[in-house]
Amino acid sequence: MVTDPIADFLTRIRNAQMAGHRIVEIPASNLKKRMTEILYNQGYILKYKFEDDNKQGLIKIALKYDAATKTPAIQSLERVSRPGLRHYAKPADFRRVKNGLGIAIISTSKGVMTDKEAKSQNVGGEVLCYIY
């Protein structure tokens, strides 16, 4: 049993990139599916596919690498809020990630979204992670 599924999601992606894998499989949940969609929409991953296996389900993510240097598109995945210490923020208090080049994934009352979307909708929430 995993006590922090979001940290497990980020760690699986981080480990797959360090090992140079093209595809990583992650147990599915609605929160992880939404985070995967955000990563795809922001251009951090190539493709993703949700598979139903009559249990929890599976997310298959095709990782993105630079063609010339073979470096991963995601430089850093940093968990902010964790089960032992939650981190909540108002739209005015959102920190710029990597001087505006990265994104923060926020869990709000209107759903999971990036910090820029949350700021435009003027909603705060729990800061899940920083990605750049």
Side-chain angles (χ1 to χ4, degrees):
M1 183 176 149
V2 179
T3 57
D4 189 3
I6 299 168
D8 180 62
F9 173 82
L10 298 173
T11 301
R12 284 178 189 243
I13 293 174
R14 191 180 307 116
N15 288 345
Q17 284 186 332
M18 284 194 293
H21 293 269
R22 293 275 175 218
I23 295 174
V24 61
E25 293 181 354
I26 301 169
S29 74
N30 288 334
L31 177 63
K32 292 181 202 175
K33 286 179 182 179
R34 182 64 188 126
M35 289 176 68
T36 304
E37 291 169 356
I38 290 172
L39 289 175
Y40 177 74
N41 293 337
Q42 297 295 320
Y44 288 109
I45 59 175
L46 277 178
K47 290 188 271 184
Y48 63 92
K49 186 162 94 173
F50 303 135
E51 291 186 356
D52 187 29
D53 60 356
N54 294 329
K55 288 185 267 175
Q56 185 173 359
L58 212 62
I59 304 172
K60 287 190 175 182
I61 299 174
L63 299 174
K64 189 176 191 178
Y65 295 92
D66 184 23
T69 61
K70 305 285 190 246
T71 58
I74 300 173
Q75 298 297 317
S76 174
L77 294 160
E78 181 183 335
R79 179 79 158 114
V80 178
S81 186
R82 50 192 174 90
L85 182 62
R86 302 289 186 185
H87 181 78
Y88 297 95
K90 298 175 189 168
D93 299 335
F94 289 156
R95 195 186 101 187
R96 291 178 64 190
V97 182
K98 198 70 170 174
N99 206 16
L101 297 176
I103 61 167
I105 297 181
I106 315 285
S107 177
T108 69
S109 59
K110 295 183 178 180
V112 179
M113 58 185 77
T114 65
D115 54 341
K116 293 172 183 69
E117 293 169 350
K119 197 173 256 190
S120 68
Q121 294 183 20
N122 198 28
V123 290
E126 182 180 355
V127 182
L128 299 176
C129 61
Y130 295 140
I131 298 169
Y132 59 90

